[in-house]
Amino acid sequence: LQLAELEREGGFSPHISPFVEVRDIGSLLNRSNFSMITIDTDDLKVKYPTIFQLMRDLKGMAENNAAINRKLHLHRESLFAANAIYADLYANEDGSLPATFQIYYWIGWKPDPSQPKPLKPQQSDVSLKDLHKLEDIAHTMGTADLPKDKT
């Protein structure tokens, strides 16, 4: 779209909001006092017959630029030129136009007095490096009182 606007109008204006990085989401959640933050992302690849269907979907996802000083309209000639340029640069062998959407999922917790507190770390009587001697240790120290199988 930028190439088409440069060619047809002598300049371009952003039409979508800036892209977000995972680290930016984590920083925002962290600065908002969330803890135990988990962020995941999926890449969704979609094929479109033309750029017009892609732009319709972007508008439906509210992925247009929300800036107050944005350019409000696209010229028809710029749209047709953008479709031709996008097809020339990125079209698949079947003529479809690829688009990749990144979807972010995140969750975080805010501290609350009613939240359960984590348990204190426990100490083990047996080191993991002695795991290969487990039968000897169980024989020496005994086994826990487990219910016996009645079969």
Side-chain angles (χ1 to χ4, degrees), residues 20 25-26 29 34 37-41 103-108:
V20 177
I25 295 171
L29 290 170
F34 282 93
I37 298 168
T38 302
I39 302 172
D40 195 13
T41 181
I103 302 168
Y104 295 106
Y105 308 93
W106 66 86
I107 187 169

Side-chain angles (χ1 to χ4, degrees), residues 8-142:
R8 302 292 174 162
E9 301 172 37
F12 67 89
S13 175
H15 295 283
I16 59 171
S17 297
F19 293 131
V20 177
E21 296 288 333
V22 174
R23 67 178 174 267
D24 298 333
I25 295 171
S27 295
L28 284 172
L29 290 170
N30 211 2
R31 279 187 272 163
S32 299
N33 295 326
F34 282 93
S35 61
M36 297 191 311
I37 298 168
T38 302
I39 302 172
D40 195 13
T41 181
D42 282 333
D43 286 344
L44 180 64
K45 297 178 193 250
V46 182
K47 295 179 182 179
Y48 290 95
T50 67
I51 198 172
F52 304 108
Q53 287 83 2
L54 168 60
M55 295 180 91
R56 184 191 65 224
D57 280 358
L58 287 170
K59 187 175 181 180
M61 290 184 264
E63 286 298 330
N64 46 347
N65 192 351
I68 293 174
N69 60 348
R70 72 185 185 277
K71 185 177 167 186
L72 296 177
H73 302 287
L74 287 171
H75 294 225
R76 180 181 305 190
E77 295 82 24
S78 296
L79 285 173
F80 285 118
N83 187 54
I85 292 169
Y86 195 74
D88 189 45
L89 292 175
Y90 303 109
N92 293 319
E93 290 181 11
D94 63 357
S96 63
L97 302 178
T100 303
F101 300 98
Q102 281 191 318
I103 302 168
Y104 295 106
Y105 308 93
W106 66 86
I107 187 169
W109 299 92
K110 282 208 170 190
D112 186 72
S114 66
Q115 232 175 341
K117 303 294 181 232
L119 296 174
K120 292 181 180 178
Q122 298 179 2
Q123 288 189 331
S124 175
D125 295 338
V126 179
S127 172
L128 287 177
K129 68 180 180 184
D130 295 330
L131 199 56
H132 66 282
K133 302 184 218 171
L134 190 59
E135 280 188 29
D136 296 337
I137 294 169
H139 181 65
T140 306
M141 298 179 84

